[in-house]
């Protein structure tokens, strides 16, 4: 039996926010609430209150609901220490090596700069959940608004040693577009072709593609595979470094 539950809540145009609840204590948290309304509805439908708000980075589509939720529920705000100046009212400021608790659920914090300079991610092994914000997407990664390709490549590598069954809860429903792009990078990847078909089917039926499994990301996400010979070969970059290949892939995605 799982120690907790994670519920996917769509918000804004293509964002997801995540309700996390500890079974033993009933402690409930929300991750990256871009707006408050859908979160309040989800809580009221379940008869729950809210104890904790967690942010991965400062962009408004991830923190826009903070104020209303904190005021309504007197919730505690946890977020990246490196973005203290950009996320007001944090009660707990965390960075890599710190631990975040949702009741008895313990979460490991990763520093993952690239999309923003102070971006963090949270891994909760008891519910096999990685909350990656806009660092790692299903079949993609975030734009490099404040970081370098080398920073983002190093950030994403931190996820690769997590268990394959880890569920990746990312910030957006970008998967179908990401899949179309990924198919242009690693043309001979059989697993990717099968996944593209699966994603098209899910979206045709209005079903979220999130969460995705980390082992599927490792097998199909080009941004996690910049050091694979098959990717280098398809790009004609056999003598390039992994960082150079990652930068080329990111540049192509920006223009896609």
């Amino acid at each position: 039996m799982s120690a907790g539950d994670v519920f996917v809540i769509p918000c804004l145009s293509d964002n997801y926010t995540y309700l996390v609840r500890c079974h033993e204590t009933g402690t409930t948290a929300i991750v990256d609430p871009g707006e408050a309304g859908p979160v309040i509805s989800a809580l009221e439908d379940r008869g729950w209150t809210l104890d904790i708000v967690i942010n991965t980075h400062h962009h408004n589509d991830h923190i826009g609901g903070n104020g209303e939720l904190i005021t309504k529920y007197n919730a505690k705000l946890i977020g990246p220490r490196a973005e203290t100046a950009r996320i007001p009212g944090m009660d707990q400021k965390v960075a890599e090596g710190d631990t975040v608790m949702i009741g008895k659920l313990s979460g490991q914090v990763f520093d993952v700069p690239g999309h923003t300079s102070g971006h963090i991610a949270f891994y909760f092994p008891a519910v096999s959940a990685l909350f990656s914000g806009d660092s790692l997407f299903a079949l993609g990664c975030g734009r490099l608004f404040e970081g370098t390709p080398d920073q983002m490549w190093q950030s994403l590598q931190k996820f690769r040693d997590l268990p394959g069954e880890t569920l990746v809860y990312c910030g957006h429903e970008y998967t179908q577009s990401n899949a179309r792009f990924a198919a242009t990078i690693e043309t001979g990847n059989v697993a990717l072709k099968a996944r593209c078909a699966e994603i098209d089917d899910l979206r045709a039926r209005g079903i979220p593609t999130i969460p995705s499994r980390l082992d599927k990301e490792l097998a199909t996400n080009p941004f996690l595979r910049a050091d694979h010979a098959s990717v280098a070969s398809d790009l004609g970059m056999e003598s390039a470094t992994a960082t150079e290949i990652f930068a080329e892939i990111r540049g192509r995605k920006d223009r896609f």
Side-chain angles (χ1 to χ4, degrees), residues 68-162:
E68 185 176 345
L69 293 169
I70 290 166
T71 298
K72 181 176 178 64
Y73 297 104
N74 193 30
K76 180 174 76 169
L77 178 59
I78 302 174
R81 185 181 304 146
E83 299 199 352
T84 297
R86 302 196 281 186
I87 302 177
M90 284 192 285
D91 299 290
Q92 183 181 352
K93 303 165 187 177
V94 296
E96 184 150 330
D98 290 335
T99 298
V100 169
M101 301 300 299
I102 302 174
K104 296 294 182 69
L105 305 177
S106 176
Q108 176 184 352
V109 180
F110 294 96
D111 287 336
V112 286
H115 182 65
T116 70
S117 58
H119 200 301
I120 57 176
F122 301 86
Y123 170 57
F124 287 84
V127 288
S128 297
L130 172 66
F131 298 101
S132 59
D134 286 357
S135 57
L136 176 65
F137 291 130
L139 285 174
C141 77
R143 284 181 178 268
L144 306 184
F145 289 125
E146 298 177 7
T148 66
D150 184 60
Q151 280 182 310
M152 184 62 108
W153 172 239
Q154 296 301 324
S155 293
L156 295 181
Q157 287 187 75
K158 294 180 180 183
F159 302 145
R160 299 204 300 184
D161 290 332
L162 297 177

